[in-house]
Amino acid sequence: MRKKSGVNEVGAVLFTCQKIIFPFMLICGLACLLNLIGAKGLMKVLSSMPPEIQLLGSVLTIKDMKIITPIIMLCVSYFILACGRSKVSKGYLLSSNKYYLVPECLFFVAYWLNVPQYKGSAVSIPIWQHCRYRYKSFPWNWMPKFEMSVPDGLIDEGKGLEVRIEYLNGNEQSKNPTVRSLIIADTYPIDDAKIPDFVKNNDRIVFTTTKENKQDRVRRYNKELALKVVEEIKKAEEADVTEIYLLANTNPKTIMEIMRDAFNDAGRNPIQHLYVYDSPRKNDFRFTTPHKIF
Protein backbone atom coordinates (compact mmCIF):
# COMPACT_ATOMS: atom_id res chain seq x y z
CA MET A 1 0.00 0.00 0.00
CA ARG A 2 1.31 3.41 -0.90
CA LYS A 3 2.51 5.68 1.87
CA LYS A 4 1.90 9.41 1.47
CA SER A 5 4.73 10.42 3.75
CA GLY A 6 8.13 9.11 4.65
CA VAL A 7 7.86 10.22 8.30
CA ASN A 8 7.44 6.66 9.63
CA GLU A 9 9.63 4.91 7.09
CA VAL A 10 12.37 2.71 8.51
CA GLY A 11 15.33 2.06 6.22
CA ALA A 12 17.88 -0.73 6.27
CA VAL A 13 20.45 1.22 8.34
CA LEU A 14 18.06 2.16 11.14
CA PHE A 15 16.51 -1.32 11.18
CA THR A 16 19.96 -2.93 11.38
CA CYS A 17 20.91 -0.70 14.32
CA GLN A 18 17.67 -1.26 16.22
CA LYS A 19 16.91 -4.90 15.49
CA ILE A 20 20.31 -6.48 14.81
CA ILE A 21 23.30 -4.57 16.18
CA PHE A 22 21.69 -3.49 19.48
CA PRO A 23 20.35 -6.95 20.50
CA PHE A 24 23.61 -8.58 19.33
CA MET A 25 25.61 -6.20 21.53
CA LEU A 26 23.29 -6.95 24.47
CA ILE A 27 23.82 -10.68 24.03
CA CYS A 28 27.59 -10.31 23.73
CA GLY A 29 27.77 -7.85 26.65
CA LEU A 30 25.82 -10.15 28.96
CA ALA A 31 27.93 -13.10 27.83
CA CYS A 32 31.11 -11.18 28.73
CA LEU A 33 29.74 -10.44 32.21
CA LEU A 34 28.78 -14.06 32.74
CA ASN A 35 32.15 -15.15 31.44
CA LEU A 36 33.83 -13.33 34.32
CA ILE A 37 32.96 -16.23 36.58
CA GLY A 38 35.50 -18.15 34.50
CA ALA A 39 35.92 -21.82 33.81
CA LYS A 40 36.31 -22.73 37.49
CA GLY A 41 33.05 -21.05 38.33
CA LEU A 42 31.28 -22.93 35.55
CA MET A 43 32.76 -26.21 36.85
CA LYS A 44 31.24 -25.44 40.28
CA VAL A 45 27.88 -24.69 38.66
CA LEU A 46 28.00 -28.00 36.79
CA SER A 47 28.83 -29.85 40.00
CA SER A 48 25.56 -28.67 41.54
CA MET A 49 23.49 -29.85 38.60
CA PRO A 50 21.69 -33.22 38.16
CA PRO A 51 23.92 -36.33 37.83
CA GLU A 52 23.82 -36.42 34.05
CA ILE A 53 25.18 -32.86 33.81
CA GLN A 54 27.68 -33.51 36.65
CA LEU A 55 29.09 -36.30 34.50
CA LEU A 56 29.76 -33.76 31.75
CA GLY A 57 31.69 -31.63 34.25
CA SER A 58 33.75 -34.57 35.43
CA VAL A 59 35.07 -35.40 31.96
CA LEU A 60 35.95 -31.80 31.05
CA THR A 61 39.23 -30.25 32.10
CA ILE A 62 39.80 -26.59 32.98
CA LYS A 63 41.48 -26.16 29.59
CA ASP A 64 38.40 -27.56 27.87
CA MET A 65 36.16 -25.27 29.86
CA LYS A 66 38.15 -22.19 28.89
CA ILE A 67 37.37 -22.99 25.27
CA ILE A 68 33.69 -23.78 25.58
CA THR A 69 32.78 -21.33 28.35
CA PRO A 70 32.37 -18.31 25.98
CA ILE A 71 30.08 -20.38 23.73
CA ILE A 72 28.00 -21.54 26.67
CA MET A 73 27.73 -18.00 28.00
CA LEU A 74 26.54 -16.73 24.63
CA CYS A 75 23.79 -19.36 24.61
CA VAL A 76 22.82 -18.56 28.21
CA SER A 77 22.74 -14.82 27.42
CA TYR A 78 20.56 -15.42 24.37
CA PHE A 79 18.14 -17.45 26.50
CA ILE A 80 18.07 -14.91 29.36
CA LEU A 81 17.40 -11.97 27.05
CA ALA A 82 14.74 -13.95 25.15
CA CYS A 83 12.95 -14.64 28.44
CA GLY A 84 13.24 -10.98 29.41
CA ARG A 85 11.81 -9.80 26.10
CA SER A 86 8.89 -12.22 26.41
CA LYS A 87 7.90 -10.46 29.63
CA VAL A 88 7.98 -6.88 28.34
CA SER A 89 7.39 -7.21 24.58
CA LYS A 90 4.10 -7.67 22.78
CA GLY A 91 5.92 -9.87 20.32
CA TYR A 92 6.01 -7.44 17.37
CA LEU A 93 9.15 -7.45 15.26
CA LEU A 94 7.51 -5.22 12.63
CA SER A 95 5.27 -2.53 14.09
CA SER A 96 2.06 -1.57 12.30
CA ASN A 97 2.74 2.18 12.72
CA LYS A 98 6.00 2.05 10.74
CA TYR A 99 6.79 1.24 7.11
CA TYR A 100 9.88 -0.93 6.62
CA LEU A 101 11.94 -0.49 3.46
CA VAL A 102 14.29 -3.28 4.42
CA PRO A 103 15.78 -6.27 2.53
CA GLU A 104 14.16 -9.52 3.58
CA CYS A 105 17.50 -11.01 4.61
CA LEU A 106 17.62 -8.46 7.47
CA PHE A 107 14.16 -9.56 8.62
CA PHE A 108 15.53 -13.10 8.75
CA VAL A 109 18.54 -12.13 10.90
CA ALA A 110 16.43 -9.93 13.19
CA TYR A 111 13.85 -12.68 13.63
CA TRP A 112 16.40 -15.09 15.07
CA LEU A 113 18.15 -12.45 17.19
CA ASN A 114 14.95 -11.08 18.70
CA VAL A 115 13.20 -14.23 19.85
CA PRO A 116 10.31 -14.18 20.85
CA GLN A 117 9.40 -11.18 18.67
CA TYR A 118 7.69 -13.10 15.88
CA LYS A 119 4.78 -10.86 14.81
CA GLY A 120 4.39 -8.30 12.05
CA SER A 121 1.74 -6.31 10.21
CA ALA A 122 1.17 -6.54 6.47
CA VAL A 123 0.61 -2.77 6.29
CA SER A 124 4.22 -2.20 7.35
CA ILE A 125 5.94 -3.82 4.34
CA PRO A 126 5.72 -3.40 0.53
CA ILE A 127 3.13 -5.45 -1.34
CA TRP A 128 5.75 -7.61 -3.06
CA GLN A 129 7.18 -8.70 0.31
CA HIS A 130 3.69 -9.49 1.54
CA CYS A 131 3.20 -11.68 -1.54
CA ARG A 132 6.45 -13.51 -0.85
CA TYR A 133 5.36 -14.10 2.73
CA ARG A 134 2.01 -15.50 1.59
CA TYR A 135 3.72 -17.82 -0.89
CA LYS A 136 6.30 -18.74 1.79
CA SER A 137 9.24 -17.86 -0.42
CA PHE A 138 12.71 -17.69 1.15
CA PRO A 139 13.46 -16.39 3.75
CA TRP A 140 9.91 -16.40 5.12
CA ASN A 141 9.78 -20.21 5.06
CA TRP A 142 12.82 -20.17 7.40
CA MET A 143 10.91 -18.05 9.92
CA PRO A 144 8.46 -20.76 11.04
CA LYS A 145 6.66 -18.93 13.84
CA PHE A 146 6.44 -15.55 12.16
CA GLU A 147 2.84 -14.33 11.89
CA MET A 148 1.81 -11.55 9.52
CA SER A 149 -1.43 -9.93 10.66
CA VAL A 150 -3.81 -8.33 8.17
CA PRO A 151 -6.16 -5.60 9.41
CA ASP A 152 -9.76 -5.81 8.23
CA GLY A 153 -10.11 -2.06 7.75
CA LEU A 154 -13.39 -0.80 6.34
CA ILE A 155 -15.50 -3.61 4.95
CA ASP A 156 -17.46 -3.24 1.71
CA GLU A 157 -21.14 -3.61 2.53
CA GLY A 158 -22.16 -3.62 -1.10
CA LYS A 159 -23.47 -0.05 -1.05
CA GLY A 160 -22.73 1.34 -4.48
CA LEU A 161 -19.27 -0.19 -4.97
CA GLU A 162 -18.46 -1.73 -8.34
CA VAL A 163 -15.41 -3.20 -10.02
CA ARG A 164 -14.60 -1.79 -13.43
CA ILE A 165 -12.47 -4.04 -15.64
CA GLU A 166 -10.58 -2.84 -18.72
CA TYR A 167 -8.87 -5.21 -21.15
CA LEU A 168 -5.94 -3.54 -22.92
CA ASN A 169 -4.01 -5.24 -25.69
CA GLY A 170 -0.28 -4.95 -26.08
CA ASN A 171 1.79 -4.41 -29.16
CA GLU A 172 0.67 -7.09 -31.62
CA GLN A 173 4.13 -7.32 -33.22
CA SER A 174 6.22 -7.61 -30.06
CA LYS A 175 3.96 -8.89 -27.29
CA ASN A 176 4.45 -12.26 -25.66
CA PRO A 177 1.16 -14.23 -25.53
CA THR A 178 2.32 -16.12 -22.43
CA VAL A 179 2.64 -12.86 -20.42
CA ARG A 180 -0.24 -11.00 -18.79
CA SER A 181 -0.22 -8.06 -16.37
CA LEU A 182 -2.86 -7.32 -13.74
CA ILE A 183 -3.14 -3.68 -12.63
CA ILE A 184 -5.20 -3.07 -9.48
CA ALA A 185 -6.08 0.61 -9.03
CA ASP A 186 -7.98 0.31 -5.80
CA THR A 187 -6.98 2.69 -2.99
CA TYR A 188 -4.98 4.94 -5.33
CA PRO A 189 -5.20 5.59 -9.09
CA ILE A 190 -2.40 4.29 -11.29
CA ASP A 191 -1.07 6.77 -13.81
CA ASP A 192 -0.38 5.18 -17.20
CA ALA A 193 2.86 7.17 -17.37
CA LYS A 194 4.15 5.30 -14.32
CA ILE A 195 3.66 1.88 -15.86
CA PRO A 196 6.77 0.22 -17.41
CA ASP A 197 6.99 -0.18 -21.17
CA PHE A 198 7.25 -3.95 -20.72
CA VAL A 199 3.77 -4.01 -19.19
CA LYS A 200 2.34 -1.74 -21.90
CA ASN A 201 3.83 -3.89 -24.68
CA ASN A 202 1.94 -6.97 -23.41
CA ASP A 203 -1.73 -7.62 -22.69
CA ARG A 204 -2.93 -6.16 -19.41
CA ILE A 205 -6.10 -5.97 -17.36
CA VAL A 206 -6.94 -2.96 -15.20
CA PHE A 207 -9.21 -3.35 -12.15
CA THR A 208 -10.69 -0.22 -10.59
CA THR A 209 -13.00 0.04 -7.60
CA THR A 210 -15.66 2.66 -8.34
CA LYS A 211 -18.56 4.25 -6.51
CA GLU A 212 -21.14 6.25 -8.41
CA ASN A 213 -18.95 5.95 -11.54
CA LYS A 214 -15.97 7.52 -9.76
CA GLN A 215 -12.91 5.81 -8.36
CA ASP A 216 -13.42 4.95 -4.73
CA ARG A 217 -10.21 5.96 -2.96
CA VAL A 218 -11.23 4.80 0.51
CA ARG A 219 -8.96 2.16 2.04
CA ARG A 220 -11.64 -0.48 2.31
CA TYR A 221 -11.78 -4.19 1.62
CA ASN A 222 -13.87 -5.10 -1.42
CA LYS A 223 -14.40 -8.85 -1.66
CA GLU A 224 -15.78 -8.50 -5.19
CA LEU A 225 -12.46 -7.02 -6.34
CA ALA A 226 -10.48 -9.99 -5.01
CA LEU A 227 -12.89 -12.42 -6.67
CA LYS A 228 -12.65 -10.66 -10.04
CA VAL A 229 -8.85 -10.70 -9.97
CA VAL A 230 -8.77 -14.41 -9.11
CA GLU A 231 -11.29 -15.08 -11.87
CA GLU A 232 -9.08 -13.35 -14.45
CA ILE A 233 -6.05 -15.32 -13.27
CA LYS A 234 -7.98 -18.56 -13.84
CA LYS A 235 -8.92 -17.35 -17.34
CA ALA A 236 -5.25 -16.57 -17.99
CA GLU A 237 -4.35 -20.14 -17.05
CA GLU A 238 -6.83 -21.44 -19.61
CA ALA A 239 -5.29 -19.13 -22.23
CA ASP A 240 -1.85 -20.73 -21.70
CA VAL A 241 -0.42 -17.71 -19.89
CA THR A 242 2.63 -18.75 -17.87
CA GLU A 243 3.82 -15.41 -16.43
CA ILE A 244 1.73 -13.01 -14.35
CA TYR A 245 2.89 -9.48 -13.50
CA LEU A 246 1.04 -7.75 -10.69
CA LEU A 247 0.95 -3.96 -10.22
CA ALA A 248 -1.24 -3.10 -7.26
CA ASN A 249 -2.40 -0.19 -5.17
CA THR A 250 -4.71 -2.04 -2.81
CA ASN A 251 -5.02 -3.18 0.79
CA PRO A 252 -3.25 -6.20 2.34
CA LYS A 253 -6.45 -8.22 2.79
CA THR A 254 -7.12 -8.14 -0.95
CA ILE A 255 -3.56 -9.31 -1.60
CA MET A 256 -3.91 -12.08 0.98
CA GLU A 257 -7.05 -13.45 -0.68
CA ILE A 258 -5.58 -13.24 -4.19
CA MET A 259 -2.48 -15.15 -3.12
CA ARG A 260 -4.51 -17.73 -1.22
CA ASP A 261 -7.16 -18.39 -3.87
CA ALA A 262 -5.07 -18.06 -7.04
CA PHE A 263 -1.58 -19.30 -6.22
CA ASN A 264 -1.74 -21.45 -3.10
CA ASP A 265 -1.95 -24.71 -5.01
CA ALA A 266 1.57 -26.16 -4.68
CA GLY A 267 2.40 -25.33 -8.30
CA ARG A 268 -0.40 -27.38 -9.83
CA ASN A 269 -1.55 -24.66 -12.23
CA PRO A 270 0.06 -23.53 -15.54
CA ILE A 271 1.32 -20.25 -14.05
CA GLN A 272 5.07 -20.77 -13.78
CA HIS A 273 6.14 -17.30 -12.62
CA LEU A 274 4.59 -14.47 -10.63
CA TYR A 275 6.26 -11.07 -10.50
CA VAL A 276 5.08 -8.18 -8.34
CA TYR A 277 6.18 -4.64 -9.16
CA ASP A 278 7.38 -2.24 -6.49
CA SER A 279 6.35 1.42 -6.56
CA PRO A 280 8.57 3.23 -4.03
CA ARG A 281 7.86 6.74 -2.85
CA LYS A 282 11.42 7.80 -3.73
CA ASN A 283 10.62 7.09 -7.40
CA ASP A 284 7.38 9.10 -7.30
CA PHE A 285 5.45 5.83 -6.96
CA ARG A 286 6.49 4.62 -10.40
CA PHE A 287 6.34 0.87 -10.87
CA THR A 288 10.01 0.23 -11.33
CA THR A 289 11.26 -3.19 -10.25
CA PRO A 290 9.50 -6.53 -10.73
CA HIS A 291 10.21 -8.88 -7.81
CA LYS A 292 10.01 -12.59 -8.46
CA ILE A 293 7.63 -14.37 -6.08
CA PHE A 294 8.00 -17.81 -7.62
Side-chain angles (χ1 to χ4, degrees):
M1 183 181 295
R2 183 187 299 181
K3 299 290 176 179
K4 290 184 178 180
S5 170
V7 174
N8 292 324
E9 287 183 358
V10 176
V13 174
L14 180 58
F15 183 85
T16 301
C17 292
Q18 292 179 338
K19 298 293 187 178
I20 297 178
I21 295 178
F22 180 66
F24 180 75
M25 290 178 66
L26 278 180
I27 293 171
C28 292
L30 182 57
C32 289
L33 289 175
L34 293 176
N35 198 47
L36 291 177
I37 69 174
K40 291 183 179 180
L42 188 57
M43 292 282 281
K44 291 181 180 179
V45 172
L46 289 174
S47 65
S48 64
M49 294 291 179
E52 295 82 2
I53 301 180
Q54 288 184 27
L55 179 63
L56 174 64
S58 65
V59 299
L60 294 173
T61 65
I62 292 293
K63 183 178 180 181
D64 295 329
M65 294 303 295
K66 287 182 178 179
I67 296 174
I68 68 172
T69 295
I71 300 174
I72 294 175
M73 293 310 179
L74 276 173
C75 295
V76 171
S77 300
Y78 181 85
F79 177 75
I80 291 174
L81 290 174
C83 291
R85 279 193 293 263
S86 68
K87 300 293 184 182
V88 300
S89 171
K90 294 182 179 179
Y92 274 90
L93 181 68
L94 306 177
S95 174
S96 60
N97 62 356
K98 299 185 186 307
Y99 192 61
Y100 296 90
L101 296 174
V102 177
E104 292 170 300
C105 60
L106 295 183
F107 292 151
F108 174 75
V109 176
Y111 169 81
W112 289 105
L113 271 178
N114 291 274
V115 173
Q117 295 181 7
Y118 53 83
K119 297 180 182 179
S121 175
V123 300
S124 62
I125 59 174
I127 284 177
W128 69 270
Q129 289 183 338
H130 185 201
C131 290
R132 287 177 63 86
Y133 167 78
R134 292 295 162 191
Y135 194 73
K136 293 302 180 184
S137 301
F138 181 83
W140 301 104
N141 57 338
W142 284 69
M143 300 161 64
K145 292 185 178 181
F146 192 82
E147 300 175 1
M148 189 77 73
S149 63
V150 175
D152 287 332
L154 294 174
I155 304 297
D156 169 32
E157 298 179 351
K159 297 180 179 179
L161 287 184
E162 296 180 352
V163 179
R164 186 175 66 221
I165 302 177
E166 298 177 80
Y167 299 90
L168 303 175
N169 295 324
N171 189 318
E172 291 296 334
Q173 296 180 345
S174 61
K175 73 177 183 180
N176 185 342
T178 65
V179 170
R180 187 161 298 174
S181 297
L182 307 178
I183 302 173
I184 306 175
D186 185 20
T187 53
Y188 293 99
I190 295 180
D191 189 346
D192 194 62
K194 297 180 179 180
I195 296 175
D197 290 338
F198 172 81
V199 173
K200 295 178 183 178
N201 288 336
N202 290 285
D203 292 345
R204 61 194 187 276
I205 306 173
V206 181
F207 303 84
T208 307
T209 300
T210 63
K211 186 174 184 179
E212 297 177 356
N213 294 322
K214 295 181 180 180
Q215 182 168 18
D216 181 66
R217 297 183 61 177
V218 178
R219 294 182 179 180
R220 72 173 87 231
Y221 166 66
N222 183 358
K223 185 174 181 62
E224 185 67 17
L225 173 64
L227 290 174
K228 291 293 185 182
V229 173
V230 172
E231 183 179 303
E232 291 299 332
I233 292 173
K234 299 303 181 183
K235 290 180 180 178
E237 295 174 7
E238 297 172 359
D240 295 327
V241 171
T242 58
E243 292 186 15
I244 294 288
Y245 288 79
L246 181 63
L247 300 82
N249 285 341
T250 188
N251 61 77
K253 189 166 184 177
T254 301
I255 292 296
M256 179 183 71
E257 297 209 355
I258 292 172
M259 292 300 298
R260 182 194 65 200
D261 296 340
F263 302 111
N264 190 16
D265 55 7
R268 289 190 292 268
N269 65 41
I271 304 299
Q272 299 175 8
H273 300 289
L274 170 65
Y275 295 87
V276 178
Y277 271 89
D278 196 9
S279 57
R281 184 179 62 89
K282 66 179 182 180
N283 289 338
D284 192 28
F285 302 111
R286 292 179 179 275
F287 291 88
T288 53
T289 305
H291 297 273
K292 187 176 181 179
I293 310 304
F294 62 83

